Amino acid sequence: MAKPHQMVYLVLGMAILIAVAPSISYGAISSPFKKSKDRSTAEASTRGASSAVFPLSGDVYPNGLYYVTMNIGNPAKPYYLDVDTGSDLTWLQCDAPCERCSKVPHPLYRPTKQKLVPCSDPICSALAQCDAAQCDYQVQYADQGSSLGVLVSDAFTLRLTNSSTVRPTLAFGCGYYQQLANPNAPAPTDGVLGLGGGKVSIMSQLKDQGVTRNVVGHCLGRNGGGFLFFGDDLVPYSKVTWAPLSLRHKNYSPGSASLYFGGKSLGVKQMDVVFDSGSSYTYFPSQAYQALVSAVKSDIGDKLKVASDDPSLPLCWKGQKPFKSLSDVKKYFKSVVLSFVNGKKSMLEIPPDNYLVVTKYGNACLGILNGSEIGLKDLSVFGDITLQDLMVVYDNENGQIGWIKTACDRLPNADSEGAGFGLDGLCRDILNEDCNIYSALFG
């Protein structure tokens, strides 16, 4: 879902699910599906919950997203899914048949008649008001992208940290009508992996089937890649900075925060914050954005000049010669700090590496944008750029969200086919005493 400017950046989060009747004006087609039997329980439901770990691909710049390979169906086929903690529904562009789809990396998912989720299924009730033989959906995103389709269910192949492989049957969207910013351009992914806390989320379904606990986390590599995990086997609870999940938002929010730059207050308090891996960049409401830009410009002075001819992002700077990497430019900038107004007084430091990008033009651009200009009002959305080289944990079991600094690219022995991988790099860095539980994954 590309936004304006030539750089591709996403705002998948804050998705809105809408009940769709078969007569909706755009895209509801006559489906060949009939009611299916209730979805089967996972093979691992009696084995006790475990965890699954997946390598990530992508980056903030120039790709503008991080995605994971998921193996779906029987026989299992790979699909690239955009990792989105800002929405609940997982969906694939789908041949049902497809009325409006873009070119995707893999052949379109093609469901069979037996895969349709019936109206009587509780997962459909949580998604929409259904009065037909099929469970239709429409999901819209903050960047005006959308997907319209029907809910289906199929097997997801997951390799767990207890060395077993399970194939739970999970419900997801079969999207046959997509509204994309540039529908003629090839899409980098086959769909979206919705990891929010709602009933239709993959995480909630895995929890209900006893496969994993309702804990999801990611570690987005600053130089690209990283990893995603389901379950809590990897979480170093005592080392993580925790904040209680705010009940004011349905999205993952650590609550309100005060804003600082270079150790000085910017006079912005009660900033509502949401973490959203489906957004490439970070968005501040207008007051906070203007205060930050003013402070940054004042601090830089005449050390750098504004690069008004760089179309990548709204605010860029240039030096005496083109910048080659962030190491060339970060010395000119200071850290942004968020102090959260909650019982634990949690703090999140955003170093220059986590709010700047060096573009192909050799300029340094601010990766914090004015969210009020795209309708986010008073909400602050922390996207991929700010979440880089942090292990971020969304703990729905205990109602908290946490983060810890780590190098997210230190994960050898990756299984690029999407089943999971060994974690010896992570063990060396932050898990230490818990590493014995992963020994079965190596080799």
Side-chain angles (χ1 to χ4, degrees), residues 283-355:
Y283 293 82
F284 282 180
S286 185
Q287 179 191 1
Y289 175 77
Q290 298 298 342
L292 176 63
V293 168
S294 178
V296 171
K297 286 183 174 180
S298 176
D299 194 63
I300 290 176
D302 58 1
K303 289 177 284 189
L304 299 174
K305 294 183 179 180
V306 172
S308 56
D309 57 343
D310 193 327
S312 304
L313 284 166
L315 181 57
C316 302
W317 293 270
K318 59 184 176 182
Q320 293 183 346
K321 57 182 181 179
F323 301 119
K324 294 182 179 179
S325 67
L326 285 173
S327 60
D328 294 338
V329 71
K330 62 183 181 181
K331 62 184 177 182
Y332 298 107
F333 295 83
K334 295 177 180 177
S335 290
V336 176
V337 174
L338 276 292
S339 177
F340 289 96
V341 186
N342 54 45
K344 298 184 179 182
K345 296 183 178 179
S346 311
M347 300 187 73
L348 174 61
E349 179 184 1
I350 308 173
D353 309 70
N354 284 34
Y355 67 80

Side-chain angles (χ1 to χ4, degrees), residues 83-113:
V83 176
D84 185 17
T85 59
S87 65
D88 294 340
L89 183 68
T90 292
W91 58 268
L92 293 173
Q93 295 202 52
C94 181
D95 185 7
C98 187
E99 184 171 310
R100 182 170 179 171
C101 292
S102 57
K103 182 176 175 56
V104 290
H106 299 97
L108 290 175
Y109 174 82
R110 176 174 287 185
T112 62
K113 295 180 180 180

Side-chain angles (χ1 to χ4, degrees), residues 38 42 101 124 133 150 165 253 280 294 304 329 401 424:
D38 291 341
C101 292
C124 182
V150 61
T165 297
S253 170
S280 308
S294 178
L304 299 174
V329 71
I401 185 171
D424 49 335

Side-chain angles (χ1 to χ4, degrees), residues 25 33 48 75 113 139 154 170 183 186 190 236 279 321 363 385:
S25 58
F33 295 134
K113 295 180 180 180
V139 59
D154 212 335
L170 306 175
D190 299 289
S279 175
K321 57 182 181 179
N363 301 316
I385 190 168

Side-chain angles (χ1 to χ4, degrees), residues 56-60 63-67 221 223-226:
L56 293 176
S57 301
D59 54 35
V60 172
N63 292 301
L65 81 164
Y66 289 84
Y67 63 92
N223 298 315

